[in-house]
Every structure is written in structure tokens, then in C-alpha cells.
Amino acid sequence: MEVLGIDIGGSGIKGAIVNTDTGEFVSDRYRIETPKPATPKEITASIKKITAFFNWKGKVGCGFPAVIQSGVIKTAANIDKSCIGANANKIFSKATNCKVKVFNDADAAGFAELTFSEVKNQKGLTIFLTIGTGIGSALFKDGMLIPNTELGHIYMKNGLVGEKYTSDATRKEKDLDWKAWSNHFDEYLKYLEKLFYPDLFIIGGGISKKLDKISPFLTIKTKFKPAKLLNNAGIIGAALLAK
Ligand code: BGC
């Protein structure tokens, strides 16, 4: 089956048509800038632009950087606060004339990873993390998604939430070198380790390409691996979940 997958991120909104049996793109990827401010109205216009670009009439799956319950946006850590309470499934479907289903972005990316990459038969408890503007998380038990975990928002010892303490945005903002940033990240992972005793961490987001720079500073006991689907995971996972 083919589904249009869309990933709404802090800087870009990207879409591609996905073959949900193979996880492969059957179109090029189309990207537009995320509107600023990213209000429901502006985001809806962007979604409409993407479906129109592909002249799409079928199902649409959309990854969104917030808690999403039955299509309703519940939080807004890194997006415009006016998004809270909006029924994204309804608004996007009406605007595009397509059946649109919206999910948390990290849940979508993690779901793609556990369906199509080398960890596809992963047993036990897996914590998938996307390290970007914020920190997104997806929790899996024997490959089954437990949606809407917000592990980027646990409080660290210094009173900052995890994603303010150790996101990639924080690394850039504070101009931290890899050692300094990795020490923060290690502390964050150790806290998750203590809370969940996972069997595996999968590290996604741009940082996954830099894991060789970070690994020497990580003291966690849990196995960890970089995500493999990189930029495309969010699009693929959203399409899969919407199927
Ligand atoms: C949001 C999450 C989202 C993550 C990554 C966090 O600030 O609360 O819902 O998954 O950013 O975009």
C-alpha cells in the first residue's frame, strides 16, 4: 500500500510517498520550511501544500512534535502554544480532502526503525530517542509501541528538563564540545536507565551520525545503537502508523 508520510519538524516539513510493505520511498522527498510561528492555521496550509504537490488523494500519516491523543494536540514544547487542543486529524483531513492521521514524531520515527531496520525483531524494552531541537522518545516492549512517552521532559538534578539539559539545540546554543555535551547526555541516559532498566537505547536525530564521537564518554551499562533510517524515519513511520 502507498501512504503519503509527512514529518513536521522544528525547521522543515518533509513529505514523501511511502510503500508501507517495504518502507521505501516511491517518490522524491519534498521539503518546505516550517512556518514561523507554527500555528495550526499555518501548519495546515503547509500540509495542504505538500498533498497538493504530490496531487495526493489517499491516506496521509503525519508525525508531529507533541503529544497526540486520538489526533488532538496535547502539548507544545517547541511549537506555538495555540496548537494545544487542536484536533489535527480533523483540521488536516478537512483542508486536504484526504484521511489524515497524526502521531507523535518520535513514536513515528521509532516505529519505522523497529519495523524496517536491523532492530526489527528486537525483544524486551527498547527506548528510542530523537535528539534534535528537543528530545523525543518512543518506548517499545517486544516491538510494540507504547505511545506518547515524553522522556525529554524528565527533570534532571539541576532542575532543567532533559531536552533543555542535553538536546542538540542546547549543544549548539552553548557551543559545547563533544566531551562536555556527552557528559550531559550520559547523565541523562543514566537517569533513564535507573528509571526503566531498558534492554536497548536507539539514538536517532542528527546526533546518530556522531555516535563515534560520543560513545567514548558514555558510561551507561545498557546497549546502545545509532538509528539507521536517519532523516527518513519520521516520514516512513507516520505512513506506516496511518496505514
Ligand atoms: C516534544 C515531543 C517531541 C520531541 C521531538 C519534545 O519537545 O515534547 O513530543 O517528540 O520534542 O520533536
Side-chain angles (χ1 to χ4, degrees), residues 64-67 75 77-78 104-106 130 134-137 149-150 153 163:
F64 199 91
V67 170
T75 60
N78 294 308
N104 171 264
D105 56 352
T130 51
I135 293 185
S137 61
T149 53
E150 284 285 306
H153 292 268
E163 71 174 14

Side-chain angles (χ1 to χ4, degrees), residues 25-206:
F25 285 1
V26 295
S27 73
D28 283 339
R29 203 172 74 144
Y30 176 60
R31 180 189 188 278
I32 53 180
E33 291 295 310
T34 304
K36 304 249 166 355
T39 59
K41 193 165 160 228
E42 296 299 327
I43 298 172
T44 306
S46 304
I47 303 292
K48 202 169 165 183
K49 200 162 162 192
I50 292 181
T51 51
F53 174 84
F54 288 106
N55 195 16
W56 189 249
K57 306 270 181 277
K59 288 187 176 177
V60 181
C62 188
F64 199 91
V67 170
I68 306 289
Q69 282 181 315
S70 309
V72 179
I73 303 167
K74 296 286 183 171
T75 60
N78 294 308
I79 48 171
D80 197 79
K81 302 288 177 238
S82 62
C83 289
I84 295 179
N87 188 327
N89 279 3
K90 257 198 194 153
I91 302 172
F92 297 168
S93 297
K94 189 162 173 228
T96 58
N97 262 327
C98 296
K99 195 167 170 28
V100 186
K101 282 194 184 164
V102 183
F103 309 92
N104 171 264
D105 56 352
D107 283 349
F111 192 65
E113 205 67 42
L114 269 87
T115 307
F116 290 120
S117 88
E118 61 183 42
V119 288
K120 64 180 168 205
N121 294 315
Q122 184 65 32
K123 295 275 176 249
L125 193 73
T126 304
I127 296 182
F128 171 87
L129 296 169
T130 51
I131 318 295
T133 313
I135 293 185
S137 61
L139 193 66
F140 295 88
K141 172 74 175 100
D142 295 335
M144 197 213 240
L145 171 66
I146 299 158
N148 285 318
T149 53
E150 284 285 306
L151 303 185
H153 292 268
I154 57 166
Y155 280 92
M156 304 299 295
K157 270 192 296 214
N158 63 359
L160 289 179
V161 292
E163 71 174 14
K164 291 284 175 261
Y165 189 61
T166 192
S167 69
D168 203 29
T170 304
R171 181 180 69 80
K172 290 176 185 156
E173 236 166 65
K174 301 218 152 65
D175 200 20
L176 298 176
D177 62 18
W178 285 113
K179 180 171 189 296
W181 185 81
S182 302
N183 288 339
H184 281 207
F185 189 46
D186 189 46
E187 210 182 306
Y188 171 71
L189 291 177
K190 280 204 288 204
Y191 192 18
L192 293 183
E193 204 171 40
K194 207 154 84 178
L195 292 174
F196 292 95
Y197 283 85
D199 298 289
L200 177 68
F201 283 116
I202 303 175
I203 316 294

